[in-house]
Amino acid sequence: MATIKDVARVAGVSLGTVSNVLNGKNSVRPGNKRKVYDAMKEVGFHYNMTASALRTKTTKNIGLIIPSITNPYYPELARGVEDAARREGLTVFLCNDDRDTEKERAYIKALLSKGVDGIILLKPRLEHSELLEVKERTSLVLGDASIDIRNEFHVVNADDVQGVICAMNFLGQNGHSQIAMITGMMESYSSQCRLDAYKRYLESRKLCYRPEYVVSGNYSWKSGCRLAKQLMSLPDPPTAIFAANDMMAIGAMKGVQTMGYRIPQDISIIGYDDIEMSNLSNPALTTVHQPKYNMGTECLKMLHACINGKESMDTTKRITLENHLIIRESVGMVR
Amino acid sequence: MATIKDVARVAGVSLGTVSNVLNGKNSVRPGNKRKVYDAMKEVGFHYNMTASALRTKTTKNIGLIIPSITNPYYPELARGVEDAARREGLTVFLCNDDRDTEKERAYIKALLSKGVDGIILLKPRLEHSELLEVKERTSLVLGDASIDIRNEFHVVNADDVQGVICAMNFLGQNGHSQIAMITGMMESYSSQCRLDAYKRYLESRKLCYRPEYVVSGNYSWKSGCRLAKQLMSLPDPPTAIFAANDMMAIGAMKGVQTMGYRIPQDISIIGYDDIEMSNLSNPALTTVHQPKYNMGTECLKMLHACINGKESMDTTKRITLENHLIIRESVGMVR
DNA sequence: TTGTATGCGTTATCAG
DNA sequence: CTGATAACGCATACAA
């Protein structure tokens, strides 16, 4: 394997000079630059980033830890991260933590050991103190994270309460007052936010909160299917169901349809996320669009700023992205 | 940042000893081992894999290059790779090449420079000679790749012709003889395989091949929707449509439904891949299941074997995984 | 079993 | 502008 040493020898210049042309330093005589390039070709030189990393203490690698790549929400976000990363010359380690704290910890440890320049951690499960330790050792950006009161972390979130209000308002405009909710897993911060926003909406409209209208799923279509059936079996079933993600919403559609209900004539269904498949359900799903790709790019931009030390006092430490409603066919006027 | 040097000093042993306990060499006196561990805690030691990588020339990192993470086919495969990789202590760089040869080349170059121990390349677009160069520099496993006559590469494929035959047979059993096909992009090797298999099936059944029944999509649901409509507008429309992936199949369902056709009474539709969403279409999609996750784990196993030099003459260089049919609701007896 | 010295391929420092 | 030389943190021969 040819090294810059070989290049230097063949080019008849010194190590330092080769290194300089490699790093685009302009303090190299054009003639020498030429010679170096020729020599690189001649000896078949390949730059070794590992050596560079050891010396400079920067690897140009970052870690992205997501709950699950199988959940269609995350690939798009991951894509946003990757595209933005490539623009900055960064390569990303993609890691699934399966919503498992141990796995999350293990991946962080591995990434740290590999000397990543930074980590983007989505839906962090580690507790405050551990997160602080990570932040001590590398640049850290949190996504979909609960608020840290003390403003200690860099975080980018989507505006859950605004998104829920969007959906609930639209249901309200369509005359719905009996609105059920299929929440996500309640350990999750954003699930709590969404449920809170749901309750607050009800309050603001002087609608009564019915505990039996709130059920908790696990983001899978199967749970949506099962819970929707359960909801529709209530003595006084809802006229609309709001699911905390599209997978569950689509499952819910399937569930109520097998019971013989028509959507949206008999029951309205609204989702959250706007995954591609929500176009394809029958009827097409009305849902809250989350700016997934943008969340990814924003995460990376923020991380990049941290890495480059532009994260001074005045730098934005917190970004909250807005959602918006996508009106399709699954919501109708109340009967 | 504490190094093994610090640990050695604090533990009162030598550098080499610390290195030995780190690498699990059993030739360390228990007492010393203990002292080393204590010292590591005391000085807050963190292992630096970059340094190790420079020295040993192995990074424990690998690259996985896929066409698109947004296509629901790949996340599951990627997941298989990741899970198997973790078991081997490998971390994976995930890269999307967007079916763009330039991007593919760029990613490979970057990965090589980062010293990955191996690369899994899915649906390779680079030509033979370039691939050979890559193989010179690192371990390489190809997935979803066209056959290399000379048996020069390690490759894992799904059995396209067997999968197509599965689908066509099932259609045949249901009395269909007018079967249209929505293919993938014809630059792709597996698209060609599938089309070939389709033609051969027709031939074997003495059915005539009608060019107007074969249309070419781009894997998106929109193309499936458009092309299905086109197919149904033919003077003599087909009784069944076979789409080369589920996204197009589901799009096709949507398309024919908007034209007023009922599935499967008026038209049967069959897909390929068995992505999760195919459970959720209405009616549920009958499709060919591809062992996506297994393809991922098999790719990694093979790569791992290559890395460890077990890739001698007798080692399997080629694996072909079987598909199987998932019968749901979108195919019916011909009217 | 343990210690010492050397090198992995770069970058950085500092004379020249 | 260029060249020599010393790190970076670890692994490995080899000597003890």
Side-chain angles (χ1 to χ4, degrees):
Chain A
M1 194 77 298
T3 74
I4 58 173
K5 205 167 169 178
D6 302 309
V7 175
R9 187 172 34 73
V10 172
V13 299
S14 79
L15 268 186
T17 302
V18 177
S19 178
N20 283 338
V21 347
L22 243 25
N23 292 291
K25 302 260 200 287
N26 43 8
S27 58
V28 176
R29 197 188 309 159
N32 276 344
K33 196 179 278 188
R34 169 129 240 109
K35 283 198 279 182
V36 167
Y37 281 127
D38 291 346
M40 293 200 307
K41 277 232 175 73
E42 186 177 338
V43 301
F45 172 75
H46 296 292
Y47 185 73
N48 182 326
M49 284 204 51
T50 304
S52 166
L54 177 58
R55 187 63 233 248
T56 62
K57 298 187 181 316
T58 98
T59 55
K60 294 288 185 186
N61 294 156
I62 63 165
L64 170 61
I65 305 180
I66 62 180
S68 157
I69 197 179
T70 303
N71 176 334
Y73 176 86
Y74 291 103
E76 201 173 332
L77 193 156
R79 191 50 200 272
V81 172
E82 186 198 348
D83 285 351
R86 194 182 37 242
R87 287 194 286 272
E88 307 292 352
L90 266 18
T91 310
V92 3
F93 287 113
L94 182 58
C95 316
N96 291 275
D97 67 16
D98 284 326
R99 304 193 168 83
D100 172 339
T101 311
E102 265 325 306
K103 251 187 202 169
E104 183 172 319
R105 213 191 311 273
Y107 265 128
I108 288 179
K109 184 173 177 188
L111 291 172
L112 251 16
S113 181
K114 283 170 189 298
V116 291
D117 294 344
I119 293 178
I120 296 173
L121 178 54
L122 261 36
K123 283 202 184 280
R125 303 176 60 90
L126 261 38
E127 48 187 274
H128 193 84
S129 63
E130 265 184 292
L131 252 18
L132 275 178
E133 283 175 39
V134 176
K135 193 188 156 197
E136 280 310 306
R137 306 233 280 129
T138 194
S139 295
L140 178 64
V141 166
L142 270 22
D144 277 354
S146 57
I147 358 175
D148 65 309
I149 315 283
R150 280 165 280 185
N151 204 38
E152 286 169 318
F153 298 101
H154 289 258
V155 5
V156 3
N157 277 170
D159 193 335
D160 283 306
V161 342
Q162 176 260 346
V164 170
I165 297 302
C166 265
M168 296 298 281
N169 274 341
F170 183 66
L171 258 16
Q173 285 160 23
N174 279 273
H176 293 275
S177 57
Q178 303 188 30
I179 305 173
M181 175 153 197
I182 302 178
T183 74
M185 293 186 279
M186 292 313 295
E187 308 92 85
S188 142
Y189 172 73
S190 70
S191 291
Q192 291 170 23
C193 278
R194 292 181 199 178
L195 180 56
D196 271 8
Y198 164 85
K199 287 181 184 170
R200 254 180 306 180
Y201 170 88
L202 258 30
E203 228 170 275
S204 74
R205 295 297 164 108
K206 311 266 186 268
L207 298 172
C208 82
Y209 166 67
R210 306 204 203 176
E212 72 273 23
Y213 273 7
V214 175
V215 291
S216 171
N218 65 359
Y219 301 124
S220 72
W221 68 268
K222 282 185 185 169
S223 68
C225 182
R226 180 173 49 77
L227 293 167
K229 285 183 190 168
Q230 172 184 325
L231 252 11
M232 296 311 285
S233 305
L234 253 24
D236 184 18
T239 62
I241 297 177
F242 177 21
N245 76 348
D246 284 353
M247 289 295 277
M248 291 195 295
I250 295 174
M253 290 181 49
K254 188 110 184 160
V256 305
Q257 280 170 337
T258 62
M259 290 173 79
Y261 292 101
R262 293 161 306 161
I263 305 170
Q265 295 88 337
D266 304 327
I267 173 80
S268 288
I269 295 193
I270 192 166
Y272 206 101
D273 282 356
D274 190 30
I275 61 178
E276 186 171 13
M277 273 298 165
S278 58
N279 282 295
L280 288 174
S281 60
N282 190 359
L285 183 68
T286 292
T287 189
V288 176
H289 174 87
Q290 289 210 72
K292 302 169 281 296
Y293 185 89
N294 283 348
M295 285 218 26
T297 57
E298 290 303 326
C299 281
L300 191 110
K301 277 187 208 161
M302 191 174 269
L303 185 65
H304 187 248
C306 290
I307 291 173
N308 294 328
K310 293 178 198 131
E311 39 137 3
S312 45
M313 286 309 159
D314 56 332
T315 305
T316 319
K317 288 192 79 165
R318 165 172 300 278
I319 293 180
T320 304
L321 268 24
E322 297 292 287
N323 308 295
H324 64 267
L325 193 67
I326 305 283
I327 299 174
R328 288 194 272 252
E329 307 158 357
S330 64
V331 170
M333 291 296 290
V334 73
R335 53 174 176 236
Chain B
M1 194 79 297
T3 74
I4 58 173
K5 205 168 171 179
D6 302 308
V7 175
R9 186 171 33 73
V10 171
V13 301
S14 78
L15 266 184
T17 303
V18 177
S19 180
N20 282 337
V21 346
L22 243 24
N23 293 291
K25 301 263 199 287
N26 43 9
S27 58
V28 176
R29 197 187 311 158
N32 277 344
K33 196 178 280 189
R34 172 130 237 107
K35 283 198 278 184
V36 167
Y37 280 127
D38 291 346
M40 292 200 308
K41 275 227 177 77
E42 185 177 338
V43 302
F45 171 75
H46 297 290
Y47 185 74
N48 183 326
M49 285 204 51
T50 304
S52 164
L54 178 59
R55 185 62 231 252
T56 62
K57 298 189 180 313
T58 97
T59 55
K60 294 287 185 187
N61 294 155
I62 64 164
L64 170 61
I65 304 180
I66 62 179
S68 157
I69 196 178
T70 302
N71 177 335
Y73 177 85
Y74 291 103
E76 202 174 331
L77 193 157
R79 191 50 199 274
V81 172
E82 185 198 349
D83 285 351
R86 194 183 36 243
R87 287 194 285 273
E88 307 293 353
L90 267 18
T91 310
V92 3
F93 287 113
L94 182 58
C95 315
N96 290 274
D97 68 14
D98 285 326
R99 305 191 167 85
D100 172 339
T101 311
E102 266 323 308
K103 254 188 201 168
E104 183 172 319
R105 213 190 311 271
Y107 265 127
I108 288 178
K109 184 174 177 188
L111 291 172
L112 251 15
S113 181
K114 283 169 190 297
V116 290
D117 295 344
I119 293 177
I120 297 173
L121 177 55
L122 261 37
K123 282 202 184 278
R125 303 176 59 90
L126 260 38
E127 47 187 274
H128 193 85
S129 63
E130 266 184 291
L131 252 19
L132 276 178
E133 284 176 38
V134 176
K135 193 188 157 198
E136 281 309 306
R137 306 234 279 130
T138 194
S139 295
L140 178 64
V141 166
L142 270 20
D144 277 354
S146 56
I147 357 173
D148 64 312
I149 314 284
R150 280 165 281 185
N151 204 38
E152 286 169 319
F153 298 102
H154 290 259
V155 6
V156 2
N157 277 170
D159 193 335
D160 282 306
V161 342
Q162 176 259 346
V164 170
I165 297 302
C166 266
M168 296 297 282
N169 273 342
F170 184 65
L171 258 15
Q173 286 158 23
N174 279 272
H176 294 275
S177 58
Q178 303 187 31
I179 305 173
M181 175 155 197
I182 302 179
T183 73
M185 293 187 279
M186 292 312 296
E187 309 92 85
S188 143
Y189 173 73
S190 71
S191 291
Q192 290 169 22
C193 278
R194 293 181 199 178
L195 179 56
D196 270 8
Y198 163 86
K199 287 182 185 170
R200 254 179 307 180
Y201 171 87
L202 258 30
E203 224 168 281
S204 74
R205 296 298 164 108
K206 310 268 186 268
L207 298 172
C208 83
Y209 165 67
R210 305 206 204 175
E212 72 273 22
Y213 273 7
V214 175
V215 291
S216 170
N218 65 0
Y219 300 123
S220 72
W221 67 268
K222 282 185 186 169
S223 69
C225 183
R226 180 174 50 77
L227 292 167
K229 285 184 191 168
Q230 172 184 325
L231 252 12
M232 296 310 286
S233 306
L234 252 25
D236 185 17
T239 63
I241 297 177
F242 177 22
N245 76 348
D246 284 354
M247 289 295 277
M248 292 194 295
I250 295 174
M253 289 181 49
K254 188 109 184 160
V256 304
Q257 281 170 336
T258 63
M259 289 173 79
Y261 292 102
R262 293 161 306 159
I263 305 169
Q265 295 88 337
D266 303 326
I267 173 82
S268 289
I269 295 194
I270 193 165
Y272 206 102
D273 280 356
D274 190 31
I275 61 178
E276 187 171 12
M277 274 298 164
S278 58
N279 281 295
L280 288 174
S281 60
N282 191 357
L285 184 68
T286 292
T287 189
V288 176
H289 174 87
Q290 290 211 72
K292 302 169 282 296
Y293 185 89
N294 283 347
M295 285 217 27
T297 56
E298 290 302 326
C299 281
L300 191 110
K301 277 187 209 161
M302 192 174 269
L303 185 65
H304 187 248
C306 291
I307 291 174
N308 294 326
K310 294 177 198 132
E311 38 136 5
S312 45
M313 285 311 159
D314 55 333
T315 305
T316 321
K317 287 192 81 165
R318 165 173 302 277
I319 293 180
T320 304
L321 269 24
E322 296 293 287
N323 309 294
H324 64 267
L325 192 67
I326 305 283
I327 299 176
R328 287 194 274 252
E329 309 158 357
S330 63
V331 170
M333 291 297 290
V334 73
R335 57 177 173 229

